[in-house]
Short mmCIF file of all heavy atoms in Angstrom, two decimals:
data_model
loop_
_atom_site.label_atom_id
_atom_site.label_comp_id
_atom_site.label_asym_id
_atom_site.label_seq_id
_atom_site.Cartn_x
_atom_site.Cartn_y
_atom_site.Cartn_z
N ASP A 368 10.95 9.94 15.73
CA ASP A 368 12.05 9.05 16.07
C ASP A 368 11.47 7.67 16.38
O ASP A 368 11.44 7.22 17.52
CB ASP A 368 12.81 9.62 17.27
CG ASP A 368 14.09 8.84 17.51
OD1 ASP A 368 14.53 8.14 16.59
OD2 ASP A 368 14.63 8.95 18.62
N LEU A 369 11.06 7.00 15.34
CA LEU A 369 10.35 5.74 15.47
C LEU A 369 11.34 4.62 15.20
O LEU A 369 12.00 4.62 14.16
CB LEU A 369 9.25 5.75 14.40
CG LEU A 369 8.07 4.82 14.50
CD1 LEU A 369 7.32 5.09 15.79
CD2 LEU A 369 7.13 5.10 13.33
N SER A 370 11.44 3.66 16.12
CA SER A 370 12.46 2.63 15.91
C SER A 370 12.07 1.64 14.82
O SER A 370 12.90 1.04 14.18
CB SER A 370 12.73 1.89 17.23
OG SER A 370 11.63 1.05 17.52
N ASP A 371 10.75 1.47 14.59
CA ASP A 371 10.31 0.47 13.62
C ASP A 371 9.17 1.00 12.75
O ASP A 371 8.03 0.54 12.84
CB ASP A 371 9.86 -0.79 14.38
CG ASP A 371 9.68 -1.99 13.46
OD1 ASP A 371 9.89 -1.85 12.24
OD2 ASP A 371 9.32 -3.06 13.97
N PRO A 372 9.48 1.97 11.86
CA PRO A 372 8.41 2.53 11.03
C PRO A 372 7.80 1.52 10.07
O PRO A 372 6.75 1.76 9.50
CB PRO A 372 9.11 3.66 10.25
CG PRO A 372 10.56 3.34 10.31
CD PRO A 372 10.79 2.57 11.57
N MET A 373 8.44 0.37 9.92
CA MET A 373 7.94 -0.65 9.00
C MET A 373 6.97 -1.60 9.69
O MET A 373 6.45 -2.51 9.06
CB MET A 373 9.10 -1.50 8.45
CG MET A 373 10.34 -0.73 8.07
SD MET A 373 9.96 0.46 6.83
CE MET A 373 9.74 -0.63 5.49
N SER A 374 6.76 -1.40 10.97
CA SER A 374 5.91 -2.35 11.69
C SER A 374 4.48 -2.33 11.15
O SER A 374 3.94 -1.28 10.84
CB SER A 374 5.89 -2.01 13.18
OG SER A 374 4.96 -2.85 13.85
N GLY A 375 3.89 -3.50 11.08
CA GLY A 375 2.50 -3.58 10.63
C GLY A 375 1.57 -3.86 11.80
O GLY A 375 0.43 -4.25 11.62
N PHE A 376 2.08 -3.68 13.03
CA PHE A 376 1.33 -3.98 14.24
C PHE A 376 1.33 -2.73 15.12
O PHE A 376 2.37 -2.36 15.68
CB PHE A 376 1.98 -5.16 14.96
CG PHE A 376 1.18 -5.72 16.11
CD1 PHE A 376 -0.17 -5.45 16.27
CD2 PHE A 376 1.81 -6.55 17.04
CE1 PHE A 376 -0.89 -5.98 17.33
CE2 PHE A 376 1.09 -7.10 18.10
CZ PHE A 376 -0.25 -6.80 18.24
N PHE A 377 0.16 -2.07 15.20
CA PHE A 377 0.09 -0.85 16.00
C PHE A 377 -1.35 -0.60 16.40
O PHE A 377 -2.28 -1.24 15.88
CB PHE A 377 0.63 0.35 15.20
CG PHE A 377 -0.10 0.62 13.91
CD1 PHE A 377 -1.21 1.42 13.88
CD2 PHE A 377 0.32 0.02 12.73
CE1 PHE A 377 -1.91 1.66 12.70
CE2 PHE A 377 -0.37 0.24 11.53
CZ PHE A 377 -1.48 1.06 11.52
N LEU A 378 -1.51 0.33 17.34
CA LEU A 378 -2.84 0.69 17.80
C LEU A 378 -2.96 2.20 17.69
O LEU A 378 -2.07 2.94 18.10
CB LEU A 378 -3.01 0.22 19.25
CG LEU A 378 -4.37 0.46 19.92
CD1 LEU A 378 -4.71 -0.73 20.81
CD2 LEU A 378 -4.38 1.74 20.75
N VAL A 379 -4.05 2.66 17.09
CA VAL A 379 -4.20 4.10 16.86
C VAL A 379 -5.51 4.59 17.48
O VAL A 379 -6.50 3.86 17.51
CB VAL A 379 -4.11 4.42 15.35
CG1 VAL A 379 -5.23 3.80 14.54
CG2 VAL A 379 -4.08 5.93 15.09
N GLU A 380 -5.46 5.81 17.97
CA GLU A 380 -6.66 6.42 18.54
C GLU A 380 -7.44 7.04 17.37
O GLU A 380 -6.85 7.60 16.45
CB GLU A 380 -6.22 7.48 19.56
CG GLU A 380 -7.32 8.02 20.44
CD GLU A 380 -8.00 9.23 19.85
OE1 GLU A 380 -7.30 10.04 19.20
OE2 GLU A 380 -9.22 9.37 20.03
#
Side-chain angles (χ1 to χ4, degrees):
D368 190 17
L369 199 60
S370 73
D371 193 359
M373 318 301 287
S374 174
F376 189 18
F377 59 88
L378 182 142
V379 64
E380 192 270 325

